[in-house]
Amino acid sequence: MNIRILTGGIAALTALGISIGGALAAEGKKHSIKPVAGSPLEEVWSGYRFAKPTTNQMQDDDFENPGMTWYDIGEANWSKKDGEAGKSCAECHKTEDMKGVGARYPIVDPKLNKLMNVEERVNYCRKTYMEAKPWKYDSNDMLGTVIYVKAQSRGMPVNVKIDGPAATYFEKGKKFYYQRRGQMDMSCAQCHEKYYGKLIRMNTLSQGQSNGFPVYRLKWQKPGSLHRRFKGCNKQVRSTPFKTGSDEYMALELYLAWRGTGLGVETPAVRN
Amino acid sequence: MAIKPRVKVPKSAKVGDTIQIKTLISHKMETGLRKDKKTGKKIPRQIINMFVAKFNGKQVFQAKMYPSISANPYIAFFLKVPEAGELDFTWTDDSGKTWSAKKKLAVS
């Protein structure tokens, strides 16, 4: 019985994959690729492959994609002067220079010797150079700016550094991923590595790839950061979530990005 | 959130053509059914209840909205082009606040 369900599920997914894959080949986007060496996955699938075609249609059309309204906020924020120093992002950075940031981050900053994601980087710039108040992770300003920055790298393959100073964070993230936690005693791997593609109640379990974040989630009716998603997952296994921007989540973000190495950046993706 | 509504209209069209017009506005569309978790009180309804599109001052499309419409409503409709002119879109929410956008349409 179990085997029948399994084959049925795989057949259905493969059929889905072929139909979507055919449409996307023309656009040159990659939603399923071979994993990086050392990955436990047989094939890396973007969340795009788990979403409904109607949801994907929303994502593919820049106009219809509701996440793009936040892109507009980010675009406005980019040249807006703020803080005591009266500077804007645009005074130091060209928008074109942001190309590749979304694929490269999180990185270990050599000067600060600290793992940083885009949100952290934005707040660091705000504090140090603009002398402005840091933004909260899920404020509209932060989401908009991060979407604006990461969207510049759309389609570029995710490629994070995990050697050198990042190695310790990588190990920490890996440990977090396989650590059972909460009342349900579940680890990330159980849903997103062992049983992806299967239903959990009415939702299809994805591989939990981070290439589309911040995503516009239909359930949230607004975009949300990756750390907000982590918190949601942690709550669902009935464990106490960590804080947004905590070292644990930062390390997990790095590990997750590595698992999705080669997937195109899809920010702002639309998910259910 | 003060964001401009997004409107997509083809720059030019032929007279008699049917064109698609897409609009998207950012609004939280509070249903009025949710409760504030801390105080237990109902959060008052705050939705966009009316969308009107005018072409050269004449109404060509209208949508009344009710609480089941999700946040950031996306509305698309078709228009048969009678002449060159200007499209004028207006959204009104429960507090009476309005957002508007204008787009020129040329005919070739």
Side-chain angles (χ1 to χ4, degrees):
Chain A
M1 190 64 196
N2 266 336
I3 293 163
R4 261 180 65 197
I5 294 171
L6 191 75
T7 33
I10 289 169
L13 280 162
T14 327
L16 188 74
I18 289 163
S19 62
I20 293 172
L24 284 160
E27 288 177 51
K29 287 182 188 167
K30 287 177 183 171
H31 297 295
S32 55
I33 50 158
K34 287 230 165 74
V36 69
S39 170
L41 298 165
E42 276 176 27
E43 199 171 41
V44 181
W45 291 1
S46 161
Y48 191 95
R49 275 194 67 167
F50 297 97
K52 285 179 188 154
T54 43
T55 313
N56 289 340
Q57 202 185 335
M58 276 172 91
Q59 179 183 321
D60 288 340
D61 183 350
D62 268 355
F63 185 83
E64 211 178 319
N65 186 342
M68 291 306 280
T69 21
W70 274 263
Y71 179 94
D72 292 348
I73 299 180
E75 198 172 18
N77 279 344
W78 194 252
S79 51
K80 198 160 75 184
K81 287 191 167 86
D82 200 4
E84 301 282 319
K87 276 184 167 180
S88 70
C89 308
E91 278 172 43
C92 297
H93 309 282
K94 278 187 209 153
T95 307
E96 301 87 69
D97 294 344
M98 292 297 114
K99 209 165 183 221
V101 168
R104 198 168 71 223
Y105 268 65
I107 57 156
V108 177
D109 188 288
K111 264 189 274 172
L112 302 164
N113 200 16
K114 190 182 157 198
L115 186 66
M116 278 180 145
N117 58 5
V118 180
E119 281 95 340
E120 206 64 24
R121 188 78 223 181
V122 168
N123 269 345
Y124 173 75
C125 273
R126 282 180 68 79
K127 269 189 276 184
T128 325
Y129 303 113
M130 293 162 79
E131 292 166 43
K133 272 189 187 164
W135 282 324
K136 281 192 175 164
Y137 267 49
D138 283 288
S139 61
N140 288 325
D141 283 324
M142 178 59 101
L143 288 169
T145 309
V146 174
I147 286 175
Y148 181 69
V149 170
K150 283 190 129 178
Q152 306 302 329
S153 327
R154 265 206 284 191
M156 291 173 79
V158 173
N159 188 14
V160 290
K161 266 191 187 159
I162 56 159
D163 51 352
T168 47
Y169 294 102
F170 177 78
E171 285 306 321
K172 206 176 159 192
K174 189 176 179 182
K175 202 179 152 199
F176 190 103
Y177 197 88
Y178 289 100
Q179 172 76 54
R180 283 167 175 259
R181 60 187 69 248
Q183 208 176 9
M184 308 278 245
D185 201 26
M186 282 168 82
S187 71
C188 310
Q190 284 176 309
C191 284
H192 298 295
E193 185 177 309
K194 206 171 174 191
Y195 291 117
Y196 66 85
K198 302 207 174 200
L199 290 175
I200 184 162
R201 299 205 170 157
M202 271 308 285
N203 291 316
T204 314
L205 283 169
S206 76
Q207 282 187 350
Q209 299 292 358
S210 59
N211 59 321
F213 275 86
V215 301
Y216 185 93
R217 234 189 136 196
L218 299 174
K219 183 187 168 189
W220 293 336
Q221 308 222 328
K222 67 175 284 200
S225 66
L226 184 57
H227 290 205
R228 181 178 174 188
R229 184 64 253 216
F230 288 162
K231 277 176 145 181
C233 266
N234 277 173
K235 274 184 204 162
Q236 276 165 347
V237 299
R238 299 187 195 162
S239 75
T240 313
F242 292 91
K243 282 187 178 149
T244 41
S246 61
D247 292 346
E248 287 83 0
Y249 282 171
M250 210 66 83
L252 181 59
E253 185 170 348
L254 176 70
Y255 179 67
L256 262 192
W258 171 80
R259 282 175 81 96
T261 300
L263 284 174
V265 176
E266 289 176 33
T267 310
V270 182
R271 301 284 184 258
N272 62 343
Chain B
M1 247 184 309
I3 324 170
K4 278 188 289 181
R6 292 158 65 90
V7 178
K8 198 176 187 181
V9 178
K11 274 191 188 126
S12 69
K14 283 179 188 152
V15 175
D17 265 6
T18 308
I19 55 165
Q20 190 182 27
I21 292 159
K22 296 174 175 178
T23 69
L24 180 72
I25 186 165
S26 182
H27 196 281
K28 64 181 173 189
M29 301 291 268
E30 190 62 60
T31 59
L33 303 170
R34 290 198 312 147
K35 278 179 182 171
D36 188 320
K37 272 180 192 161
K38 280 174 195 156
T39 60
K41 279 184 186 164
K42 272 194 177 176
I43 305 169
R45 191 181 107 157
Q46 187 64 260
I47 64 166
I48 289 179
N49 55 36
M50 183 68 97
F51 167 71
V52 175
K54 286 179 178 171
F55 188 71
N56 286 344
K58 196 184 147 203
Q59 185 172 313
V60 289
F61 184 83
Q62 175 191 319
K64 283 182 186 172
M65 281 177 259
Y66 294 94
S68 61
I69 306 281
S70 61
N72 311 320
Y74 164 79
I75 300 170
F77 61 95
F78 292 92
L79 176 72
K80 201 171 179 186
V81 182
E83 59 191 346
E86 195 175 43
L87 277 152
D88 191 350
F89 308 92
T90 318
W91 292 259
T92 314
D93 81 354
D94 286 339
S95 65
K97 197 177 168 190
T98 61
W99 292 262
S100 62
K102 281 179 184 172
K103 278 276 155 132
K104 282 215 168 85
L105 178 66
V107 291
S108 55

